[in-house]
């Protein structure tokens, strides 16, 4: 009788114990699922005591489109905007979004990855500066990261195969923008004016494979790699298609936070430092670095192109 009572008590204790373990495991799984849940923001980031409404109502300023008969002189220019220069740092920072403040590349990535409020479709990225051929999605994804091949080993040190890792680049790896623009003289308004046709962000990244491969699309600008770093072309963006986004994305103003400019203002007012990489020419539109090797001579050639445009304008108004 005692043995029967002991068996019944032991069975009851074990059933209660396993039930508690099961409930504990289920509860921990629910807690883990809750912890892994990504919560959606319920409002825009608050970085002011008042709500900014005026800037989000901005529309890009209408630019004058000259008639063909009024253009007395025109020249296509390839220009490089380096974000490592002090004047261009407002285009580079912040590396990570700070409230409603984001870098130029982050604004472009947001427009490419998602449908913006002002557009009915995501921003298009093109293969070349003439923005005629859209870039395919696989090619675009490949340009936004680097593939690393890693060997796998078991516990005995035997090679079991390879794994392919894709290391993505972020907005902080963008250190240059290539601008493709046209300078022209409009006799109707009697001005020398310019228009940006397209812009191309350039990644300056460090290779994870530790080897340097020759570039096939002239992204290296004819220069040897610095350490293990190299340039990579993200793709060209048609400036007229992105102006709606740039006009409502503000830039940090160190003098007055209440009066921030937008990225569209920066480009239209030419508030950036840059140098000319090339001009249209009969030699297949070759760039300066293709026929001049020395860096100082390249700068002098760039200034010569700028001076020739200025002289052409002065000579035209003399008659």
């Amino acid at each position: 009788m005692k043995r029967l009572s002991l068996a019944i008590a032991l069975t009851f204790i074990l059933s209660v114990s396993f039930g508690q373990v099961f409930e504990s495991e289920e509860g921990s799984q629910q807690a883990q699922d809750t912890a892994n849940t990504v919560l959606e923001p319920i409002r825009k980031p608050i970085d002011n005591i008042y709500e900014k409404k005026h800037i989000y109502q901005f529309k890009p300023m209408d630019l004058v489109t000259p008639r063909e008969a009024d253009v007395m002189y025109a020249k296509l220019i390839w220009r490089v905007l380096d974000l490592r220069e002090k004047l261009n740092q407002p285009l580079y920072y912040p590396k990570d979004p700070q409230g409603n403040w984001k870098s130029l590349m982050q604004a472009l990535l947001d427009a490419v990855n998602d449908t913006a409020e002002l557009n009915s479709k995501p921003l298009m990225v093109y293969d070349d500066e003439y923005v005629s051929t859209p870039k395919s999605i696989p090619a675009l994804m490949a340009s936004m990261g680097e593939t690393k091949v890693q060997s796998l080993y078991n516990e005995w040190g035997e090679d079991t195969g390879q794994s392919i890792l894709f290391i993505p680049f972020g907005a902080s790896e963008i250190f240059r923008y290539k601008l493709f623009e046209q300078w022209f003289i409009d006799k109707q308004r009697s001005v020398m004016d310019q228009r940006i046709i397209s812009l191309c962000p350039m990644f300056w990244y460090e290779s994870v494979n530790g080897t340097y491969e020759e570039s096939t699309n002239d992204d290296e600008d004819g220069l040897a790699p610095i350490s293990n770093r190299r340039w990579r072309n993200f793709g060209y963006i048609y400036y007229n298609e992105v102006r709606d986004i740039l006009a409502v994305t503000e830039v940090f103003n160190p003098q007055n936070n209440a009066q921030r400019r937008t990225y569209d203002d920066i480009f239209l007012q030419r508030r950036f430092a840059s140098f000319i990489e090339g001009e249209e020419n009969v030699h297949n539109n070759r760039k300066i670095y293709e026929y001049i090797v020395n860096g100082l001579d390249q700068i002098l050639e760039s200034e010569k192109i700028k001076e020739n445009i200025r002289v052409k304008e002065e000579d035209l108004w003399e008659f």
Side-chain angles (χ1 to χ4, degrees):
M1 188 66 180
K2 292 183 179 180
R3 293 182 178 179
L4 180 60
S5 301
L6 181 60
I8 294 174
L10 183 60
T11 303
F12 176 75
I13 293 173
L14 291 176
S15 63
V16 172
S17 299
F18 281 118
Q20 291 176 349
V21 171
F22 177 76
E23 291 176 358
S24 176
E25 291 179 352
E26 184 179 3
S28 63
Q29 182 65 31
Q30 292 178 354
Q32 185 177 0
D33 293 341
T34 303
N36 293 333
T37 302
V38 178
L39 300 179
E40 295 293 333
I42 61 174
R43 63 175 66 89
K44 291 183 178 179
I46 299 177
D47 52 7
N48 285 284
I49 59 174
Y50 55 91
E51 183 180 359
K52 285 190 174 182
K53 297 182 179 179
H54 185 59
I55 190 172
Y56 300 112
Q57 299 174 355
F58 282 175
K59 298 293 183 181
M61 182 181 67
D62 294 334
L63 301 179
V64 176
T65 302
R67 297 188 310 124
E68 181 181 1
D70 293 335
V71 178
M72 304 302 296
Y73 172 80
K75 182 178 286 291
L76 294 176
I77 295 294
W78 284 262
R79 187 178 297 274
V80 174
L81 191 156
D82 198 321
L83 299 185
R84 291 170 293 183
E85 296 192 36
K86 187 174 182 179
L87 185 61
N88 299 330
Q89 288 183 357
L91 304 178
Y92 176 75
Y93 290 103
K95 294 184 177 180
D96 299 316
Q98 306 289 329
N100 296 305
W101 174 36
K102 63 179 70 173
S103 65
L104 173 59
M105 186 58 193
Q106 189 62 52
L108 296 178
L109 288 177
D110 292 344
V112 170
N113 293 333
D114 198 4
T115 301
E117 297 179 359
L118 300 178
N119 289 352
S120 59
K121 59 182 180 180
L123 184 65
M124 191 75 70
V125 182
Y126 299 88
D127 276 330
D128 58 1
E129 60 265 39
Y130 302 102
V131 293
S132 58
T133 306
K135 204 167 189 177
S136 64
I137 295 180
L140 180 61
M141 296 301 296
S143 66
M144 296 178 61
E146 189 177 17
T147 301
K148 180 180 181 181
V149 179
Q150 187 174 7
S151 300
L152 300 177
Y153 301 93
N154 57 18
E155 56 184 357
W156 295 284
E158 299 174 349
D159 190 354
T160 59
Q162 294 180 336
S163 65
I164 299 177
L165 301 177
F166 183 77
I167 302 176
F169 302 147
S172 60
E173 275 77 35
I174 294 294
F175 283 90
R176 270 188 181 183
Y177 287 92
K178 287 189 175 183
L179 303 181
F180 179 55
E181 58 187 9
Q182 185 177 46
W183 287 72
F184 61 94
I185 296 177
D186 186 356
K187 72 173 185 178
Q188 182 67 28
R189 296 181 294 142
S190 300
V191 295
M192 166 72 81
D193 207 349
Q194 71 283 326
R195 293 285 189 275
I196 297 177
I197 300 175
S198 61
L199 58 91
C200 174
M202 300 289 295
F203 290 108
W204 192 47
Y205 68 99
E206 187 170 358
S207 174
V208 297
N209 296 318
T211 58
Y212 170 68
E213 299 177 358
E214 291 292 338
S215 175
T216 58
N217 56 0
D218 295 335
D219 290 343
E220 299 291 343
D221 293 349
L223 301 177
I226 302 175
S227 177
N228 206 24
R229 288 185 173 269
R230 68 194 73 176
W231 295 103
R232 175 176 291 182
N233 182 330
F234 170 75
Y236 286 85
I237 297 173
Y238 186 30
Y239 186 72
N240 286 344
E241 291 180 351
V242 77
R243 286 193 66 203
D244 288 338
I245 304 299
L246 301 183
V248 296
T249 307
E250 56 186 3
V251 185
F252 182 77
N253 185 353
Q255 306 300 328
N256 186 358
N257 186 44
Q259 301 293 330
R260 287 190 175 183
R261 304 183 185 92
T262 65
Y263 286 113
D264 193 44
D265 296 332
I266 295 293
F267 284 112
L268 291 182
Q269 299 171 13
R270 312 291 291 187
R271 293 179 178 271
F272 57 82
S274 63
F275 61 90
I276 295 177
E277 185 184 39
E279 62 175 341
E280 59 177 339
N281 53 75
V282 70
H283 304 288
N284 200 29
N285 287 338
R286 65 180 181 179
K287 306 300 186 296
I288 294 177
Y289 61 82
E290 295 182 36
Y291 60 93
I292 296 180
V293 178
N294 184 272
L296 179 59
D297 292 338
Q298 291 177 6
I299 296 176
L300 295 176
E301 181 69 14
S302 174
E303 294 298 322
K304 180 181 177 181
I305 294 174
K306 186 189 304 182
E307 180 66 15
N308 288 339
I309 295 176
R310 187 190 66 81
V311 171
K312 180 69 69 172
E313 179 187 14
E314 289 187 355
D315 292 345
L316 184 63
W317 300 136
E318 288 183 0
F319 298 97

